[in-house]
Every structure is written in structure tokens, then in C-alpha cells.
Amino acid sequence: FAMKKIMIFLAVIITPFVIAKNLEEETIIIPNESIRIRVIANSNSLSDQIEKTNIKNILQSYLDTKLKNSKSIEETDYIIKQNLNEIRTQIEKTLKENNSLNGVNIHYGKNFFPQKEYKGIIYESGMYDSLVITIGEGKGNNWWCVLFPPLCLIDLENTDDKEYKSWTIEAINKIF
């Protein structure tokens, strides 16, 4: 009988913590109407990963300027299509400046993305409208983000999970 009392006591004490933890871990799913970006490195060598990061930084800065006032997926799509040649020029310039021997393949259209979870947010797998930049053989790790809704604009390095989730919910709610 004493063991039964201890078990009931523990259940009463632990249950609120379990419920609170589950509420805290609410899952957010990015809407299907999105445009993603991915930069795939030639390999996982240090120099190829640095090259990928350099291209990512150039693209992120360039696209932030072009897309910061975009209010719809159609507008974002139009802006990307209108700037594909300039995007190619920016990437090739960066490769040349770094004396890279790698070529680049740029594809804007439907591309497969595996499911990802980042800071409590699920990015479902599937075919997505996306800008994919493949450097060289494209066998290295990649960087990816969501251009619309504009989730690439947040400084991901300096936010915790709750800040990121809060910012993401706010960004999605503004658009949808």
C-alpha cells in the first residue's frame, strides 16, 4: 500500500512537467508554398566548404537586397527569375576571385529536399520551388534556407530555439 502511495505521489508531481514539456515542443511546419535555396559544396574539404560559405554569403546578401520587400511567392519567384544571370555572375566572380577550378550549376525550379528539422521547426521533404547552386561535383555538405517566406533573413547564429520559433511564426503569420 505504501508503494502505491509513492507511485501516485510521483505521478502527481511528474505529470505537470511532462505536459508543460510537450506544450513547449509545439511543432511548426513551414507552408508548402515556399521557395528554398541550397548551395551544395564540391566536397567536404576545408577549401570547398569555405568556397560554399563564401558563395552563400554573397547570395544571402544579394538576395536579401532584392527580396526584402517581396510580399508574395509570385513576386519572389519573379524577382529570382529576373536576376538569374546576375546571380550566376556573382557566383562565377566569387569562384574566380578565389582561384577555384570548380564550375557551377544553377537550377531554379522544382528540386527535391529531404525532411529537415531545425530548432524545433519541421521542413518537410518534397519537391520545392528552389534555387539550387551546385559547385563542382556537388558531393559536399550543403547550406539551405527558405527565401519565401523570408526565413533566411534572421541571424540564426545568435538566436535560441524559442527566439527562432517565435520569429518564424511571426514571419509566416504576416504572409499567410
Side-chain angles (χ1 to χ4, degrees):
F1 186 71
M3 181 61 96
K4 199 176 208 180
K5 282 185 179 180
I6 292 172
M7 295 300 283
I8 291 171
F9 176 75
L10 288 174
V12 169
I13 297 293
I14 294 173
T15 300
F17 291 106
V18 171
I19 291 169
K21 182 70 174 161
N22 286 338
L23 290 175
E24 195 176 284
E25 292 182 0
E26 172 190 3
T27 301
I28 301 166
I29 299 176
I30 300 303
N32 284 337
E33 281 197 5
S34 65
I35 298 177
R36 299 178 182 206
I37 183 172
R38 177 189 243 170
V39 180
I40 307 169
N42 179 55
S43 75
N44 283 331
S45 73
L46 180 59
S47 62
D48 284 348
Q49 288 298 310
I50 290 171
E51 183 174 79
K52 174 197 73 184
T53 301
N54 289 339
I55 288 173
K56 172 231 144 307
N57 291 340
I58 295 292
L59 284 174
Q60 201 167 14
S61 175
Y62 177 79
L63 291 171
D64 177 35
T65 302
K66 294 291 183 185
L67 299 174
K68 68 181 172 187
N69 296 318
S70 178
K71 302 288 186 236
S72 70
I73 194 166
E74 294 82 11
E75 186 177 0
T76 300
D77 176 70
Y78 178 79
I79 292 168
I80 292 170
K81 286 177 179 173
Q82 293 302 306
N83 288 281
L84 279 174
N85 285 335
E86 181 59 27
I87 290 168
R88 175 176 291 286
T89 300
Q90 293 285 325
I91 293 169
E92 288 175 347
K93 178 181 172 191
T94 301
L95 290 171
K96 187 175 180 180
E97 286 172 356
N98 293 308
N99 299 316
S100 176
L101 300 176
N102 293 316
V104 65
N105 181 25
I106 299 172
H107 182 259
Y108 182 65
K110 295 281 186 194
N111 295 287
F112 179 77
F113 279 70
Q115 180 173 311
K116 304 269 186 189
E117 183 173 346
Y118 181 76
K119 294 191 177 207
I121 298 178
I122 293 177
Y123 297 84
E124 297 219 355
S125 67
M127 298 295 286
Y128 289 94
D129 290 323
S130 53
L131 176 61
V132 176
I133 292 89
T134 306
I135 306 165
E137 294 182 28
K139 294 183 178 180
N141 291 341
N142 70 95
W143 169 84
W144 65 275
C145 199
V146 180
L147 293 173
F148 186 87
L151 303 180
C152 292
L153 307 179
I154 190 171
D155 181 5
L156 301 178
E157 300 297 319
N158 296 319
T159 59
D160 64 25
D161 292 2
K162 287 182 183 179
E163 288 174 315
Y164 181 77
K165 284 174 83 171
S166 173
W167 188 90
T168 303
I169 290 168
E170 187 178 313
I172 291 170
N173 287 337
K174 280 183 183 175
I175 293 170
F176 296 101

